[in-house]
Amino acid sequence: MAWNRKLLRVNLTQGTCKEEPLNMEWANEYLGSRGLSAKYLVSEIDPKVDPLSPENKLIMATGPLTGTMASTGGRYTVTCKGPLTGAIACSNSGGFFGAEMKFAGWDMIIFEGKSPKPVYLFIENDKAELRDASHLWGTSCWHTEEQIKADHQDPLIRVSSIGKAGENQVLFAVVINDLHRAAGRSGVGAVMGSKNLKAVAIRGTKGVSGIKDFPAFLKATTDAKKVLADNAVTGQGLPKFGTQVLMNVINEIGALPTRNHRDVQFEDASKISAEAMHEKRPSDGKSHLVTNAACFGCTIACGRISQIDKNHFTVKNNPKYWGASGGLEYEAAWALGAANGVGDLEALQYANLLCNEQGMDPISFGATVGAAMELYEMGVLTKEQMGLDTPFGSAEALAKLAEMTANGEGFGKEIGEGSARMCARYGHPELSMSVKKQEFPAYDSRGIQGMGLAYATSNRGACHLRGYTVASEVLGIPVKTDPLVTEGKAELVKAFQDATAVFDAAGICVFTSFAWTLADVQPQLAAACGEEWTMEKLNAVGERIWNLERQFNNAAGFTSKDDNLPPRLLTEPAKTGPAKGLVNGLDKMLPEYYKVRGWTPDGVPTAETLARLGL
């Protein structure tokens, strides 16, 4: 079996680390990673628990393909009840940390309780112990990783940590591993901070054993890698341009949310695009992009490594940020750029570096700044309240607010609560572009109708990675559908949501789905885990995971009223582009979606659906 069949339970209150057998009956129903960690969470906590209380649990989990030769097999997830949303939170990260956990012999780590003082967990194969982190508390993710490696005199240790944002309970704080890979949404870093857990450091030398049929696995993974290499998106577009390849594409089709979704096209999109990252700067003759980079086992290598212009106002007097480091992905470039009307690529990279350094989600941060800029332009927020002028388009304001939020200073504390709470405080809840209090990613649902339904029904709040209909509606993968119509989108969204749950649970990257279908994943899982992993079984697993997460949210107090979009997207038509004159047709899609899901008109899974899925 490709599971290690054991988990580590860490009781932070008592300071204990105990090995337990993995529940293989559950693994057979939920596969691993996102699915299996959700099953453990649902079974062990009260859905109504305060996310920042010791009663919440934080679970780090790998999938059966994590650490194997399957392409992109480096993923792990961080699962808890999310403080930003109050819903189930499951954040997925790449890099090398997940594979290292598997190499050390563990499928999962469950953290419970709260440590009386700052600690970090150190794992060396079978040995696990909590260590004092007082000297690390108050420092950045970058410093923490470097210091732990120095303390143990081992540069090969893999580290996942929180920065000041997690310590200060910024509600969209993330967990950073490998310096610039992130379990990035819903505030999982704030939960880690609430437990006084600074970091997890792992050194694993066991490798992955127990592949059920190795010759079959070798063939299945080799065949699947060829599919990725031969595909235009995964073989050419993503390696060369990264996810940023989408900036100009989405802008042209009139679905790039701009200035807090007031507009659907950004006049400076080309200045912050993938193409701009390749161009030589007039100031120093160097390009912003240094190279691409890959996570563990990845044959796509969509990651960006960039170097900021040393003469830029943000870093001119701060050499710390002059080196090459994690560069802008599409979502971050949009949130820090178009969402605020900022067309300064170097300013975006500076804010992105701060998000990596101190552990913040650039999507929620940038989108919240966009809402604050709109409140400022309306006169609801003033320079005195915010500490600076904050009009749309101000690179200076973006940079300063990034510093203030990362360090928990001044108005940055209010930005750190997210847009829903901030906008409600100032009497304009409708200006928060969010679902379940989580900010939208980089697609306007007036120009891509299916994404509106995907956002509204996402179990972790507004999210593109829970049902990426952009693949079909814009890129024509696996089939082309019209982005401007609502017909057929309920079935499309459900299919994407269920399939994505399987990719996540397997421990592979969802970007492979630009080229792979479940039919490409199935032979890899069957060879790794056993031939009983059929297509029929995988389809059921995806649907089971989705319904389990929905059950948790319903028990936490969410209803069909929370499957909604902000009034702006439902009542204010797009002003330009192909979607000009359109609003999102959620009212047409949602009832159909509930029906397709086998839920009641109130969005509750029926007894028949639960029985069919064994829930």
Side-chain angles (χ1 to χ4, degrees), residues 293-306:
C295 299
F296 173 86
C298 180
T299 54
I300 301 172
C302 75
R304 304 293 93 182
I305 300 296
S306 294

Side-chain angles (χ1 to χ4, degrees), residues 6-25:
K6 66 175 187 175
L7 66 85
L8 181 67
R9 188 175 294 273
V10 180
N11 188 307
L12 293 161
T13 308
Q14 297 170 4
T16 57
C17 302
K18 292 180 180 170
E19 177 186 324
E20 287 180 16
L22 193 71
N23 188 321
M24 292 310 296
E25 190 181 323

